[in-house]
Amino acid sequence: MENNQGQYQQLQNRLMEHVEKERIFTDPALLLAYGTDASFYRLIPKMVVRLKNIDEVIFTIQACAHLNIACTFRAAGTSLSGQAVSDSVLITLTDDWRDHQIHDDGFKITLQPGVIGADANKYLAAFGRKIGPDPASINTCKIGGIAANNASGMCCGSAQNSYRTVDSMKLVFADGTLLNTSDLESVKAFQSKQSTLMQGIKDLCKKVADNQQLTDRIRHKYRLKNTTGYSLNALVDYSDPIEVIKHLMIGSEGTLGFIAEITYNTVIEHPHKASALIVFESIEEASKAVTALTGDPVSAVEMMDGRAMRSVADKPGMPDFIKNLNLQAGTLLIESRAGDQALLDQQCVSIMNTIAQFKMIESISFTSDANTVATLWGIRKGMFPAVGAVREVGTTVIIEDVAFPVEHLAAGVHDLQKLFDQFHYDEAIIFGHALEGNLHFVFTQSFEAEDEVKRYGDFMDAVADLVAVKYRGSLKAEHGTGRNMAPYVELEWGKDGYALMQQIKALFDPHSILNPGVIINDDPQSHLKNLKPMPKADDLIDRCIECGFCEPVCPSRTLSLSPRQRIVLYRELQRRESAGETEGASALQKVFEYQGIDTCAATGLCADRCPVGINTGDLIKKLRTSKYKKFTPIARWTADHFATTSNMVNLSLKANTLAQKVLGEKAVAKVANGLRHLSAGKTPMWIPELPTSNKHRPHNSMSADQTNKKVVYLPSCASRTMGQQAGNKESRSLTEVTESLIKKAGFDIIIPESLSDQCCGMPYDSKGMNLLADQKSKQLEMALWQASEQGKWPVLMDTSPCAKHSIEKFTHTMEILEPTVFVLKYLLNHLTIKPIEETVMLHITCSSRRMGIENSMLQLAKRCTSDVIIPEHIQCCGWAGDKGFTTPELNAAAVHTLKAQVPEHCTRGFSNSRTCEIGLSHHSGIPYQSILYLVDEASH
């Protein structure tokens, strides 16, 4: 569909009647960044629109239809087959699409398309239920994508996918018509308005019923996992057109309409589980075991070939025997679930008896031990990233997804392996959901040369013939058709099956404005076009596969860019530089300066979600080295005169407090923020939650009996200078409270020498000033080494970012603790805790998350108070050192949902970072302070 620029300008003008200009993007750099998804295709949209409600969706679809402009819907962008990219209008959703409702004691749940799959299961956990689909990307992918792709997963099979568990839907069609399938009035109105569509559906059902051969083919295809093409089983399974429409929408990949809401029939989440890893001498033996297990009480059977096991052999924590397995071995990871332990034990015995007849060479018996189970499933989950981590720069990782009839599983694996050898994909591995005959194979591919593209095309032709023709299997079992398999849909389904799909598309979308080129595509070479380049950019990020798993935890994702998008733009900058392309380079660099560098919190949370462990923050800090180079002399002076610098901060806080008293908050805000406006944001933002000056000075406290209960207390530079915010009922500073609590537990306090000169170095590190950061870190390390008597006593740092940074940087063996772990490990046994009857907010800082102490913080808070609320979807507050002052919009974006989650009766919150608490207080409407205040108040 071709459109000129004038049409897009008309569309933009029309959209701005109902959609805020800030949510309509046309800047080329942002179109590239926002237009990228997890697939190996690149289409750059002409426009990206973020919509916040169903009225905006209807208006946008109608506006596109009026101008004959194509549009594509995207949820999380984790799709692998090219179904969520567009060279026209890309429609994405704001965070306003995250509502859910639970019905019938958890047996049903209604979800908006922006709900992350794992969150849906979190909501259902208290009922012992979950949604059926369980894709590997469930911590990132969203319900809209799960339903639109009919995603399944390791345990769901085809019995619990969206097609089988959908109860009702709210849908928007290509002409803007709205249908709520659970509302009789809506159904009646739809039947009247869409009589042509309704009759067309009836005619298609009759056509299939009259064609026994086609009916049999459809039934055979859905005996397997199958997401190739449209869900033709809807025409066999149902006769009511509304039911047919509802089920055709599942797996339609946004080509038939927009899923605005879906209600699922949930499935049981068994409380008792056990897993086992069994290695057989060959893939044939493993396949025979799978066939034998089809009648046993197994919830998951994951198969891995010898190359797949070899790919993870060197990963930390792997069983030693994996390194010695030959490439012919076949491995099964088996899980069984039950309602009680006795039944689970019986099931495990039964399963082992079933597979005892096959030739096993290694095994880890069924276990429910959490650590062992995590290790076993870590083997399976680590395979895709294992290939991605070792690929050559410039290549991309491709994961394909087929299904064989389970009786042909061994032969199918064998033939796939022969194709790998024939086409020289020596690194390719095979793993998958064996009970369903569903196999994934992963390989690396370069698209930089024509002969490489041809090799890939020839390989895919051979795979399609093998799977669809020889074994009558599914070319796409659970990843969706997309652009990648669209040219092969007719090969798998035959002319009459494909013609049926063409008629379905024409009925629902007669002008083909919804995601054209996906599922139905007349170009036999479409899967070899618009291939994404993966140029070398920097060793820190070259392994990125652009999967998007990082995005949910990024504090800047709604403001500017996510880690994936930062990498996309940086790769493009480096590509242009290498190619000598100057056109548009400065404009792109300017966009990246703010969107990529200035607004990155550099928390590193992305690394914990990244399959290959990339910390995009490390790249940003590296780039900041040159950006902040001109400020290095000033920074060096502050590092060399840190006590003086701290005193200056203290004086400014005193001056601020005095100004507020004399002039009032409004006047101070007007002057300070007016200056910020005049300086184009070069001066800090003023907010009323700025802390007062901390007048308290920590000191050594030794008891007369010289006990062995001692702790080195290192107050951070923030807590040394900052007191409470003005007007807080609690007037004591953090240093006072910390001393009080330590003494209450009977510990002696050791304060390091030259305390006012000490800093962990993180303020310098965040700006890429590595030498200064290391200088301060080493200075602090030596002071603590001396104070702790060479590591004899634990060291308490009263803010978590400083503790984390020091743990990572120090070379001497010392026990460095932030407040939560210190209290739990050393103080609780010496305190009497009487919980306070109060609801409090708890913010878990990004540094605490990275240290893995989320549960510890929650445990401690629950020991001290009756009700603790951890707000959803706030992984980091975005204060990021001093960015809360210099780039306050980052803090605002990161916690934009916070205030709405604070109950009316809640009057305070707790955390473990003094600077983060400033922004949390400002945006929540309640004061936040260290969790040590809560412990001190609840303890005796």
Side-chain angles (χ1 to χ4, degrees):
M1 184 180 294
E2 302 217 352
N3 306 94
N4 60 48
Q5 198 58 41
Q7 284 177 291
Y8 285 101
Q9 186 60 57
Q10 290 181 56
L11 177 63
Q12 183 177 356
N13 293 340
R14 181 169 291 199
L15 290 179
M16 284 195 295
E17 295 173 14
H18 288 269
V19 180
E20 295 165 348
K21 184 179 180 181
E22 293 74 23
R23 293 188 279 117
I24 302 172
F25 303 91
T26 57
D27 182 280
L30 297 181
L31 294 177
L32 170 62
Y34 296 159
T36 299
D37 76 347
S39 73
F40 52 93
Y41 294 98
R42 167 155 294 160
L43 290 174
I44 301 176
K46 304 289 192 307
M47 183 185 298
V48 175
V49 190
R50 284 182 183 160
L51 304 180
K52 67 179 182 180
N53 57 51
I54 198 165
D55 291 335
E56 290 187 351
V57 170
I58 292 171
F59 182 81
T60 301
I61 291 175
Q62 289 176 332
C64 288
H66 177 75
L67 292 166
N68 199 34
I69 293 176
C71 57
T72 296
F73 310 113
R74 177 187 294 174
T78 56
S79 302
L80 296 165
S81 303
Q83 55 266 66
V85 292
S86 170
D87 58 0
S88 186
V89 174
L90 184 67
I91 298 175
T92 62
L93 305 177
T94 66
D95 284 351
D96 298 279
W97 295 82
R98 283 178 160 176
D99 283 352
H100 75 279
Q101 289 180 297
I102 295 174
H103 319 280
D104 302 339
D105 293 326
F107 277 74
K108 291 184 181 182
I109 186 169
T110 299
L111 300 161
Q112 287 192 316
V115 175
I116 293 173
D119 286 342
N121 287 339
K122 182 176 69 176
Y123 305 144
L124 290 165
F127 300 91
R129 310 288 294 179
K130 63 179 181 176
I131 60 171
D134 62 339
S137 58
I138 197 167
N139 289 327
T140 303
C141 66
K142 297 177 180 178
I143 293 299
I146 289 174
N149 289 288
N150 198 18
S152 46
M154 287 182 274
C155 299
C156 128
S158 56
Q160 296 180 346
N161 63 17
S162 293
Y163 182 91
R164 298 295 180 194
T165 58
V166 61
D167 177 79
S168 62
M169 280 179 165
K170 189 178 289 184
L171 304 166
V172 180
F173 293 82
D175 63 353
T177 302
L178 177 65
L179 168 65
N180 184 348
T181 67
S182 66
D183 184 319
L184 290 177
E185 291 302 315
S186 177
V187 170
K188 284 181 183 178
F190 182 82
Q191 289 169 333
S192 175
K193 184 176 181 180
Q194 296 282 359
S195 57
T196 301
L197 175 58
M198 297 293 287
Q199 186 59 49
I201 294 293
K202 292 176 183 177
D203 292 343
L204 290 180
C205 289
K206 186 176 186 305
K207 181 181 288 190
V208 173
D210 292 343
N211 186 337
Q212 190 59 49
Q213 186 178 11
L214 180 56
T215 298
D216 291 343
R217 190 185 316 144
I218 291 172
R219 292 194 188 281
H220 165 76
K221 285 292 185 183
Y222 291 103
R223 183 169 64 90
L224 311 174
K225 265 188 180 181
N226 195 324
T227 60
T228 308
Y230 292 119
S231 301
L232 294 185
N233 46 342
L235 302 173
V236 174
D237 296 340
Y238 303 96
S239 57
D240 176 4
I242 297 297
E243 286 296 322
V244 174
I245 289 170
K246 186 170 68 180
H247 287 84
L248 279 174
M249 282 290 178
I250 299 294
S252 63
E253 301 175 28
T255 64
L256 303 182
F258 173 75
I259 299 173
E261 185 179 276
I262 183 169
T263 298
Y264 279 111
N265 295 305
T266 63
V267 301
I268 190 169
E269 172 69 302
H270 291 101
H272 296 275
K273 306 172 187 178
S275 298
L277 188 75
I278 313 295
V279 184
F280 299 87
E281 68 172 12
S282 67
I283 204 74
E284 288 78 14
E285 283 293 288
S287 299
K288 291 175 186 176
V290 171
T291 303
L293 285 170
T294 53
D296 274 41
V298 289
S299 60
V301 178
E302 293 292 299
M303 175 184 283
M304 297 157 279
D305 73 354
R307 295 188 207 190
M309 295 298 285
R310 180 73 56 86
S311 74
V312 295
D314 295 326
K315 299 292 181 184
M318 294 296 103
D320 291 337
F321 66 75
I322 292 181
K323 295 178 181 178
N324 302 318
L325 295 179
N326 61 48
L327 296 182
Q328 285 68 49
T331 303
L332 297 182
L333 176 58
I334 306 170
E335 182 173 277
S336 188
R337 301 177 175 183
D340 62 71
Q341 188 62 46
L343 179 58
L344 178 63
D345 292 341
Q346 292 176 20
Q347 291 177 179
C348 294
V349 170
S350 172
I351 293 166
M352 292 306 295
N353 288 339
T354 297
I355 62 176
Q357 59 186 300
F358 304 103
K359 297 175 183 176
M360 294 182 279
I361 57 175
E362 295 285 354
S363 69
I364 296 177
S365 299
F366 273 106
T367 177
S368 297
D369 176 73
N371 291 331
T372 306
V373 168
T375 297
L376 296 183
W377 284 96
I379 294 172
R380 163 61 179 85
K381 293 175 182 177
M383 289 178 173
F384 178 39
V387 175
V390 299
R391 78 183 196 278
E392 291 184 17
V393 175
T395 64
T396 191
V397 182
I398 297 178
I399 179 167
E400 283 301 344
D401 160 48
V402 300
F404 295 102
V406 72
E407 61 270 22
H408 298 309
L409 185 59
V413 172
H414 184 261
D415 285 351
L416 272 178
Q417 289 174 328
K418 286 203 298 185
L419 288 182
F420 296 155
D421 293 336
Q422 178 184 340
F423 290 94
H424 307 292
Y425 291 109
D426 302 322
E427 77 293 347
I429 64 174
I430 296 175
F431 55 86
H433 320 314
L435 278 179
E436 304 283 335
N438 176 197
L439 297 179
H440 303 314
F441 52 97
V442 181
F443 57 100
T444 63
Q445 175 71 52
S446 170
F447 293 123
E448 292 181 349
E450 281 300 318
D451 59 336
E452 279 295 300
V453 175
K454 184 178 186 305
R455 176 172 72 124
Y456 173 72
D458 292 344
F459 173 67
M460 289 307 299
D461 287 347
V463 168
D465 186 71
L466 172 70
V467 177
V469 179
K470 181 175 181 179
Y471 290 110
R472 298 181 66 208
S474 306
L475 286 170
K476 281 294 183 181
E478 60 179 6
H479 290 173
T481 310
R483 285 176 164 74
N484 191 29
M485 209 53 72
Y488 299 104
V489 174
E490 185 172 357
L491 176 71
E492 176 169 336
W493 279 100
K495 289 188 180 299
D496 51 355
Y498 188 61
L500 202 60
M501 294 184 187
Q502 290 175 309
Q503 292 166 36
I504 290 169
K505 174 66 172 174
L507 265 176
F508 281 81
D509 183 19
H511 302 294
S512 194
I513 68 159
L514 300 181
N515 209 1
V518 169
I519 297 184
I520 302 299
N521 195 320
D522 296 331
D523 182 357
Q525 298 295 305
S526 63
H527 63 309
L528 303 179
K529 297 175 180 177
N530 303 303
L531 300 168
K532 182 193 291 183
M534 298 288 273
K536 178 174 176 56
D538 191 286
D539 289 343
L540 290 170
I541 57 161
D542 282 338
R543 291 171 298 124
C544 175
I545 52 183
E546 298 182 4
C547 63
F549 284 13
C550 54
E551 292 189 336
V553 296
C554 178
S556 65
R557 62 181 179 79
T558 62
L559 170 68
S560 53
L561 301 176
S562 69
R564 165 168 64 178
Q565 293 161 348
R566 285 187 169 89
I567 290 173
V568 167
L569 285 196
Y570 189 69
R571 278 177 166 162
E572 178 63 10
L573 280 168
Q574 298 307 107
R575 186 198 68 76
R576 291 187 185 186
E577 184 176 321
S578 298
E581 296 179 15
T582 57
E583 186 177 352
S586 60
L588 178 58
Q589 180 63 53
K590 185 177 180 181
V591 170
F592 186 72
E593 192 78 15
Y594 175 79
Q595 299 275 342
I597 299 176
D598 291 347
T599 54
C600 178
T603 65
L605 285 173
C606 48
D608 296 336
R609 290 292 189 96
C610 176
V612 292
I614 293 171
N615 186 339
T616 310
D618 287 343
L619 171 70
I620 298 303
K621 286 190 283 189
K622 180 178 178 180
L623 298 178
R624 284 174 181 165
T625 300
S626 57
K627 179 179 175 66
Y628 290 112
K629 188 175 182 180
K630 59 185 177 182
F631 299 111
T632 300
I634 299 172
R636 184 177 294 112
W637 187 90
T638 64
D640 292 340
H641 305 84
F642 203 80
T644 304
T645 303
S646 297
N647 286 334
M648 291 168 64
V649 172
N650 230 318
L651 286 171
S652 67
L653 292 175
K654 288 179 180 178
N656 173 68
T657 302
L658 180 61
Q660 281 182 263
K661 288 180 179 178
V662 174
L663 302 176
E665 281 186 5
K666 289 184 179 180
V668 174
K670 186 176 181 180
V671 171
N673 293 331
L675 180 60
R676 176 175 171 79
H677 177 72
L678 290 172
S679 67
K682 290 183 173 61
T683 59
M685 185 185 77
W686 185 91
I687 57 176
E689 291 78 12
L690 278 176
T692 58
S693 168
N694 181 10
K695 301 174 184 177
H696 177 257
R697 295 292 172 263
H699 57 277
N700 290 317
S701 174
M702 295 295 176
S703 57
D705 57 2
Q706 292 292 301
T707 68
N708 285 324
K709 291 165 59 178
K710 296 182 181 181
V711 58
V712 177
Y713 173 35
L714 188 279
S716 70
C717 50
S719 57
R720 293 198 303 266
T721 56
M722 297 178 182
Q724 282 296 334
Q725 69 182 61
N728 193 344
K729 293 179 181 178
E730 171 61 83
S731 60
R732 293 179 300 164
S733 67
L734 175 56
T735 52
E736 290 178 85
V737 171
T738 305
E739 282 194 347
S740 165
L741 188 59
I742 294 172
K743 291 176 182 177
K744 194 183 297 183
F747 278 74
D748 291 340
I749 299 173
I750 304 170
I751 302 296
E753 294 288 336
S754 305
L755 178 61
S756 56
D757 278 325
Q758 305 302 334
C759 170
C760 70
M762 197 166 66
Y764 305 98
D765 178 82
S766 65
K767 293 177 176 58
M769 299 176 178
N770 300 328
L771 291 176
L772 294 178
D774 289 344
Q775 172 190 322
K776 296 307 293 182
S777 177
K778 288 174 182 175
Q779 178 186 344
L780 176 61
E781 182 177 9
M782 294 314 298
L784 293 177
W785 182 244
Q786 180 181 3
S788 66
E789 298 180 33
Q790 292 72 51
K792 181 178 180 181
W793 309 115
V795 177
L796 166 65
M797 295 188 177
D798 58 16
T799 50
S800 63
C802 302
K804 177 183 175 293
H805 186 76
S806 298
I807 290 169
E808 293 171 348
K809 294 293 183 180
F810 287 0
T811 57
H812 289 77
T813 304
M814 286 183 282
E815 187 179 22
I816 309 295
L817 302 163
E818 57 70 60
T820 296
V821 177
F822 173 72
V823 170
L824 288 173
K825 184 171 182 179
Y826 287 101
L827 300 192
L828 271 194
N829 289 337
H830 306 284
L831 297 170
T832 301
I833 303 292
K834 184 180 180 182
I836 303 162
E837 290 295 321
E838 183 182 351
T839 297
V840 302
M841 303 296 292
L842 180 66
H843 174 71
I844 299 173
T845 56
C846 50
S847 49
S848 298
R849 293 179 188 278
R850 298 216 68 199
M851 288 190 286
I853 63 170
E854 304 103 304
N855 290 335
S856 297
M857 284 191 74
L858 180 58
Q859 173 192 345
L860 181 59
K862 284 185 172 180
R863 286 285 298 271
C864 297
T865 190
S866 58
D867 188 23
V868 181
I869 296 174
I870 299 178
E872 274 196 303
H873 309 127
I874 298 175
Q875 300 286 321
C876 167
C877 72
W879 191 267
D882 62 356
K883 284 197 172 295
F885 295 119
T886 61
T887 316
E889 63 271 28
L890 174 59
N891 176 227
V895 297
H896 72 278
T897 63
L898 177 58
K899 190 167 188 176
Q901 298 185 64
V902 179
E904 285 186 19
H905 58 279
C906 178
T907 60
R908 55 181 174 162
F910 297 95
S911 188
N912 58 358
S913 170
R914 184 65 192 91
T915 50
C916 296
E917 290 153 16
I918 300 171
L920 292 166
S921 299
H922 180 60
H923 290 287
S924 67
I926 60 172
Y928 272 74
Q929 51 202 22
S930 171
I931 196 170
L932 292 176
Y933 284 84
L934 180 62
V935 179
D936 188 54
E937 186 175 340
S939 63
H940 304 280

